[in-house]
Amino acid sequence: MRIRNQVRFSHGSGWARTVISLAAFNVVWIVCVVERSGWGLFAVAWSLLPHFALVAADDRRGAARVLVAAAVLGTAADTVLERAGVLRFEGGPRLGPLCRLWITALWINFGATFHCCLAWTRRRPAFAALLGAVMAPLSYALAARMGAGDLEPRALPALAAAYAALTPLLAVLARPRTPSPSPRECAA
């Protein structure tokens, strides 16, 4: 019982959650972009342990929903952009006809941030769109400079548009859900 209370105390510390979330996000991003292999999935799995233990402890189901949505929507977006010839990723296995596995790992990693270091975007979708539109092209450009792929000149506006749409969507999906009233509560 005492250990459980300590975990809750750690969970309640906003700065600690933010530091854990931000550190995990950056470590996973670097591993995925540099290695472009199965290590990216290992890094995501590693980062999700503290995420579910400390960061998303109050809403594990909601956190899982955001991770799945980020994986599906992000993989679809990057696959479309890659098929359109706007960008090209290097290294690592593909998910069948879809983009590379390490790209999906990056999207899962991105989804994990909406319960902590990007939690503020859940109530500010316009800021979430602006953040996605500005930071995503910079992130992809940095990854390309690190050898993770190639970007066509038209990639930056396409990435800005994709992230301007997907970032607020993921932020809204990360909002805590209020439980539905039971039939007994409705009758009262």
Side-chain angles (χ1 to χ4, degrees):
M1 186 65 141
R2 186 163 179 73
I3 292 173
R4 184 139 178 94
N5 288 339
Q6 289 173 349
V7 169
R8 285 191 178 184
F9 175 76
S10 296
H11 169 257
S13 178
W15 68 268
R17 292 184 316 167
T18 300
V19 168
I20 289 168
S21 176
L22 194 55
F25 175 79
N26 285 309
V27 167
V28 171
W29 189 90
I30 290 167
V31 168
C32 286
V33 169
V34 171
E35 291 296 320
R36 298 182 297 276
S37 66
W39 285 107
L41 288 180
F42 175 75
V44 167
W46 167 82
S47 75
L48 292 180
L49 292 175
H51 177 70
F52 279 105
L54 301 174
V55 175
D58 291 338
D59 187 19
R60 288 189 176 110
R61 185 174 293 160
R65 179 182 58 245
V66 175
L67 297 178
V68 170
V72 171
L73 296 172
T75 297
D78 277 341
T79 298
V80 167
L81 292 173
E82 190 174 28
R83 297 279 180 205
V86 173
L87 48 89
R88 185 175 51 82
F89 302 114
E90 297 289 335
R94 287 191 171 277
L95 289 168
L98 304 176
C99 67
R100 309 257 179 208
L101 191 56
W102 63 270
I103 295 295
T104 300
L106 284 174
W107 275 98
I108 294 168
N109 187 43
F110 183 54
T113 64
F114 289 98
H115 277 86
C116 193
C117 63
L118 290 182
W120 62 272
T121 64
R122 296 186 296 195
R123 298 280 178 218
R124 296 172 185 91
F127 285 115
L130 180 62
L131 179 74
V134 171
M135 296 307 293
L138 293 174
S139 178
Y140 279 72
L142 178 59
R145 287 197 50 101
M146 294 172 71
D150 293 318
L151 301 176
E152 292 291 321
R154 59 192 170 128
L156 298 181
L159 287 165
Y163 272 83
L166 292 176
T167 304
L169 177 61
L170 294 173
V172 168
L173 284 174
R175 287 180 183 165
R177 301 275 190 240
T178 55
S180 300
S182 69
R184 188 175 293 167
E185 292 171 330
C186 289

